[in-house]
Amino acid sequence: MKKAERLISMERLICTLAFLCSFWLCETTGQVTDSIPQEADLPVQRDSTPTSIALPDSASSAKKDRNFLGKFLTKEDYPNPKKALILSLAIPGGGQIYNKRWWKLPFVYGGYVGLILAIDYNTAGYKAYRDAYIAELAGEPHRFSAARVNANDLRRIRDGFDKNRQLSYIGIVALHMIQTAEAFVDCHLKTFDVSDDLSLRVAPSMGYTVDGGSYLGIGFTFQFSD
């Protein structure tokens, strides 16, 4: 009887151990990480086609130059004193042409031509007397030997031609500035209101003083628009 009970207890122990081993194996296999690699996130491919094509520097600068030149030559903002100033500085008489003052062009170009001729004349005279002065100091004949002028006279005349030549150069610069300023001011005057709403009237006037005397004078009347 005792032997049978021992066999039964042994069988129970073996069953219990077998159950525990199977449970442990199940737990162990369940903790093994999945060796199948997960699907990697593929990088999103963007469209490599640019939305806008950048122009080369030369093409973009040429386009800007055309736009600037077109805006500069337009007549929508006429009269524009700034344009008259730029044109006068760039081209002699350009401001007068822009202001449509054609009758001023002969004076402008006549001044330039006269000053250029003066420079040419004084330069030729300076060189001639300079060479003669050098030859006179060296005791050699020159083109003014027949006039019997001494070295001091030759030097004085040479310096006079040189001074006039320098003044002619200064005159060209001064003329260029004057015609530029004239075009700028004339273009400004075009924008002034000279309509009937703003006028000046001059008329004789007569009145009486406090002591009963009379006087005669000239009256100035300014009329402005309301």
Side-chain angles (χ1 to χ4, degrees):
M1 185 70 180
K2 291 181 178 180
K3 188 177 181 179
E5 289 178 358
R6 288 178 180 177
L7 292 173
I8 292 172
S9 61
M10 288 292 292
E11 289 177 359
R12 289 179 178 176
L13 181 60
I14 293 171
C15 290
T16 302
L17 292 174
F19 176 77
L20 291 175
C21 289
S22 63
F23 181 76
W24 178 78
L25 289 173
C26 290
E27 237 179 26
T28 306
T29 55
Q31 291 179 357
V32 176
T33 56
D34 190 6
S35 61
I36 300 175
Q38 295 181 358
E39 185 178 358
D41 294 333
L42 296 176
V44 180
Q45 294 184 355
R46 301 182 180 274
D47 189 6
S48 60
T49 304
T51 55
S52 61
I53 301 175
L55 294 175
D57 295 338
S58 58
S60 59
S61 60
K63 185 177 181 181
K64 290 180 181 179
D65 293 342
R66 287 196 299 269
N67 292 337
F68 173 77
L69 186 60
K71 291 180 181 179
F72 186 81
L73 295 178
T74 184
K75 297 181 180 180
E76 295 178 357
D77 58 346
Y78 180 84
N80 189 336
K82 184 178 179 181
K83 289 184 179 181
L85 177 67
I86 295 175
L87 289 173
S88 296
L89 288 174
I91 305 172
Q96 285 72 21
I97 296 174
Y98 176 78
N99 294 333
K100 300 178 182 179
R101 305 294 190 185
W102 312 103
W103 59 273
K104 296 180 180 180
L105 293 179
F107 298 98
V108 174
Y109 290 112
Y112 280 104
V113 171
L115 289 170
I116 292 173
L117 292 177
I119 291 174
D120 182 70
Y121 171 76
N122 288 288
T123 300
Y126 167 76
K127 290 180 179 180
Y129 280 92
R130 179 198 61 188
D131 297 340
Y133 175 70
I134 294 173
E136 182 70 20
L137 293 178
E140 299 176 356
H142 50 82
R143 60 184 298 184
F144 303 107
S145 298
R148 295 182 179 180
V149 292
N150 55 28
N152 291 329
D153 293 335
L154 292 174
R155 183 181 61 183
R156 179 176 53 81
I157 298 173
R158 181 206 63 182
D159 294 342
F161 277 111
D162 186 36
K163 181 180 179 180
N164 293 334
R165 182 183 61 170
Q166 295 175 8
L167 290 175
S168 299
Y169 280 115
I170 296 174
I172 285 184
V173 177
L175 176 61
H176 193 70
M177 294 296 103
I178 290 173
Q179 63 93 22
T180 300
E182 192 278 330
F184 180 76
V185 174
D186 189 24
C187 193
H188 261 299
L189 293 177
K190 283 180 172 287
T191 61
F192 285 178
D193 186 8
V194 292
S195 61
D196 295 337
D197 296 332
L198 176 63
S199 59
L200 170 65
R201 297 180 181 179
V202 181
S205 63
M206 185 178 65
Y208 298 93
T209 61
V210 179
D211 56 358
S214 61
Y215 65 88
L216 182 65
I218 299 176
F220 296 88
T221 303
F222 292 93
Q223 182 179 355
F224 297 92
S225 60
D226 296 335

